[in-house]
Amino acid sequence: MGRQSTLQHPRRYAPLQEGPISYRVSGLEAEYDGGVMRIFATLQLGKGEGVVNEVWQVGSSVVNGVPAKHAFAPENLAASGTLDLIRGESSAGGGVDSTLKKKNIHGVLNAVSWGILLPIGAIIARYLKTFKSADPAWFYLHVSCQIIGYGVGVAGWATGLNLGSKSKGIVYSTHRNIGITLFSLGTLQLFALLLRPKKDHKYRLYWNIYHHAVGYTVIILGIVNVFEGLQILSPENKWKEAYIIVIAILGGIALLLEAVTWIVRKSDKSSKLYDASNGVSG
Ligand code: HEM
Ligand code: HEM
């Protein structure tokens, strides 16, 4: 139980150490009965301190006589509330609901941008480019899709950093590191807009290699991080399933277009060869 101040997780999950109680308490007593220990104390309230925070937790193991780390499921993290001693009211998880809402917003923004829009943009670039009738539409579609995806993605990324800075002591390093890498590579990729040499410039080949390599890395890491995020938040299974279905559909479309564009390119090539053998340049 604590005073009415903001509830915060401890900075680090080191083993608990014995120490003085930070609050003014008197009449400390304990009883041990049938494997259950109860501790009683009277909490002295200061002036105007009618509302106290309470936290509770469950854990299954004790190591060297000290409770071990508890689980981090959403219910464990939501185990807090406030108790109004004057009005005799209690409310569950004060700020927890709004934190969960923020996490959901973070998840949706990131899943839609890094996890769906950027892969769609790459599909547009890779496959529409093959069809002459789609030139230059594919280019504008690709650029718009990626700029929107990047914009929403950076907003989502920022909400992640904000969430991370509020929950001190809990660090999801893999998710965080992939997130920061994604932001850096995505930003680098947008420089494509400024650095792109003309189509027939001798450095264009290098630009293409850089843009493809960074682009596919962003897409793969983006999808991986969506799964990492789903693992951390562990919402209802249907969300993970829904995302898997979306990715499977995009993968299916990509495979199909891979085959179609391969055939188109092959027939283009053979018609060019035919033209060349007739002395007509293709
Ligand atoms: C985060 C943003 C972006 C990502 C993730 C991305 C990703 C990709 C990927 C994966 C490809 C390769 C498709 C293939 O296999 O052929 C590609 C191609 C291309 N992208 Fe982007 N892109 C982004 C932003 C941009 C921007 C802002 C431009 C504007 C100049 C651009 C212009 C192009 C062009 C011209 C190609 C075709 C290159 C070629 O093969 O000739 N991209 N992009
Ligand atoms: C690929 C896109 C994503 C990026 C770039 C991203 C980025 C981040 C970053 C930078 C953090 C802060 C980590 C820290 O400082 O400890 C974070 C935290 C978090 N993210 Fe993501 N994220 C992504 C996708 C998702 C998704 C799809 C979900 C959920 C479905 C999610 C759920 C969370 C949660 C629950 C946290 C923890 C907040 C806390 O510390 O309590 N993320 N994310």
Side-chain angles (χ1 to χ4, degrees):
M1 204 187 279
R3 284 187 223 179
Q4 177 64 7
S5 58
T6 48
L7 269 181
Q8 282 206 333
H9 283 281
R11 281 173 191 277
R12 206 173 295 130
Y13 276 89
L16 291 176
Q17 279 182 351
E18 206 177 314
I21 300 173
S22 318
Y23 307 106
R24 278 161 289 145
V25 288
S26 56
L28 270 172
E29 267 175 59
E31 68 176 34
Y32 185 66
D33 184 18
V36 175
M37 182 175 287
R38 289 193 182 82
I39 302 171
F40 305 92
T42 305
L43 177 68
Q44 236 176 295
L45 296 173
K47 228 179 169 186
E49 280 183 346
V51 182
V52 291
N53 289 323
E54 47 174 353
V55 292
W56 58 94
Q57 201 47 259
V58 290
S60 54
S61 55
V62 172
V63 180
N64 295 334
V66 176
K69 199 152 118 180
H70 60 79
F72 286 92
E75 306 83 69
N76 293 83
L77 300 181
S80 69
T82 56
L83 201 56
D84 188 327
L85 300 169
I86 295 164
R87 292 199 201 144
E89 288 170 358
S90 68
S91 63
V96 174
D97 267 1
S98 76
T99 312
L100 185 63
K101 205 163 155 197
K102 281 187 195 142
K103 287 181 184 172
N104 289 341
I105 293 175
H106 165 78
V108 170
L109 287 178
N110 281 303
V112 168
S113 55
W114 304 100
I116 297 177
L117 282 176
L118 295 185
I120 290 181
I123 290 178
I124 291 173
R126 186 174 179 86
Y127 302 113
L128 287 192
K129 203 172 49 185
T130 318
F131 303 100
K132 288 196 189 73
S133 54
D135 195 32
W138 74 265
F139 175 73
Y140 295 113
L141 276 174
H142 174 67
V143 175
S144 331
C145 193
Q146 303 313 58
I147 288 179
I148 295 171
Y150 174 79
V152 178
V154 169
W157 175 76
T159 60
L161 286 185
N162 189 26
L163 284 171
S165 71
K166 282 198 178 134
S167 61
K168 296 208 173 61
I170 312 177
V171 183
Y172 300 101
S173 12
T174 313
H175 187 67
R176 181 187 165 86
N177 292 342
I178 298 181
I180 292 170
T181 311
L182 272 174
F183 169 73
S184 317
L185 291 181
T187 306
L188 182 69
Q189 193 71 334
L190 269 222
F191 278 104
L193 207 57
L194 309 172
L195 295 176
R196 193 166 54 107
K198 292 237 154 19
K199 237 179 188 165
D200 42 9
H201 194 283
K202 62 180 173 176
Y203 288 144
R204 176 63 180 247
L205 173 69
Y206 300 113
W207 182 89
N208 276 358
I209 294 173
Y210 135 81
H211 190 75
H212 282 224
V214 177
Y216 282 114
T217 310
V218 166
I219 285 156
I220 291 165
L221 285 181
I223 294 173
V224 169
N225 222 27
V226 170
F227 282 109
E228 285 282 334
L230 283 165
Q231 190 83 17
I232 298 171
L233 188 61
S234 47
E236 284 172 67
N237 268 345
K238 65 176 182 194
W239 292 106
K240 192 168 180 179
E241 282 158 14
Y243 185 64
I244 291 175
I245 291 172
V246 170
I247 288 300
I249 292 175
L250 289 181
I253 292 175
L255 267 180
L256 192 74
L257 288 174
E258 193 69 44
V260 172
T261 51
W262 184 75
I263 294 167
V264 170
R265 261 185 260 131
K266 210 171 157 216
S267 68
D268 265 9
K269 236 188 216 164
S270 53
S271 66
K272 270 184 198 154
L273 283 177
Y274 176 78
D275 285 349
S277 64
N278 279 311
V280 185
S281 78

